[in-house]
Structures are given as C-alpha cells and as structure tokens.
Amino acid sequence: GASPDKNKGSNWNNGSPKNNRWFKFTATTPQINISVNRGGSKGSQYYAQLALWEADGITELESDRYGSAYDNVDLGYTGLTPGNTYYISVDTYNTNASGSFTLCLEDQVDYDFYEGAKDVSG
C-alpha cells in the first residue's frame, strides 16, 4: 500500500520512487549505520534500495541499493549533527518486489569507515 513520493536516491537504478516508505530519527552521534534486512522472519521484499536524507526529505546524504535481488542493504554515514532530525527512505527496484523488511539503525559506523576501524593488535 505504499505510494511513491519525493526523490529517488542517486544510487537507485529506477526512474523514480516506486513504493517508498519513510522513517525519521534524531541523531545521537555524528555516525549512523542503517540496514534493510530481508529473508525469513526479517521480510519478503527484494531489490531493496535505501537513502538517507536531510530533514527536508530532498537533500540526499547517501544512498545504496542491492547487489543482487535478495541482498540486505547497508548504508553508513559520518557527518550527522547530533540533535538534528534525518529521514530514511526504503524502496524497491519495481512494484513487484514490494514486501516487508526489517530496518536496523546503529549510532556508529562499521569498519567500512575509518571511525569504525577494528583493533587487530593482539
């Protein structure tokens, strides 16, 4: 029952939003790691696409999409302002891929970022 609105993420591979859903959060740290998970009890959606937006819902900070149909999608970002509100949109490549999903947020990035480096000494 989702409807398309606002903009598509720059890394999405469709012409416009198809069935996007919106979520918002208030930043507690300058970092965020967002995951859209699917499969089994996590959800039935496939070809997931994810974007992080400023409070206007138009200014994109980062976006990412699936590598293959049944992938989870992860997006990390540094540079948030604690106390500010940000928006997340989740969509699919086409309307046939719609379904449920699990959205997870962590207030720190993973080791894909300098700030999330894993200590391997010892």
Side-chain angles (χ1 to χ4, degrees):
S3 59
D5 62 348
K6 297 265 184 196
N7 296 330
K8 71 179 190 75
S10 62
N11 288 322
W12 296 5
N13 66 344
N14 53 0
S16 63
K18 300 299 179 196
N19 292 321
N20 61 330
R21 290 290 190 175
W22 288 90
F23 305 89
K24 67 180 178 177
F25 68 96
T26 302
T28 57
T29 68
Q31 309 167 8
I32 191 76
N33 197 64
I34 307 166
S35 299
V36 174
N37 298 319
R38 51 126 358 254
S41 64
K42 294 179 183 175
S44 58
Q45 175 176 297
Y46 55 102
Y47 293 120
Q49 303 188 115
L50 169 64
L52 174 64
W53 308 89
E54 289 280 0
D56 61 7
I58 297 171
T59 306
E60 180 188 316
L61 297 174
E62 189 72 44
S63 65
D64 205 358
R65 65 176 177 173
Y66 61 90
S68 63
Y70 300 104
D71 285 347
N72 294 327
V73 177
D74 298 311
L75 182 154
Y77 186 80
T78 60
L80 302 178
T81 302
N84 283 6
T85 299
Y86 296 90
Y87 283 77
I88 299 166
S89 60
V90 177
D91 204 351
T92 61
Y93 170 68
N94 61 44
T95 56
N96 295 332
S98 297
S100 59
F101 55 88
T102 301
L103 181 67
C104 300
L105 281 75
E106 295 180 82
D107 63 0
Q108 58 187 357
V109 291
D110 63 16
Y111 61 92
D112 192 35
F113 288 83
Y114 170 83
E115 295 84 353
K118 297 253 186 229
D119 185 355
V120 294
S121 44

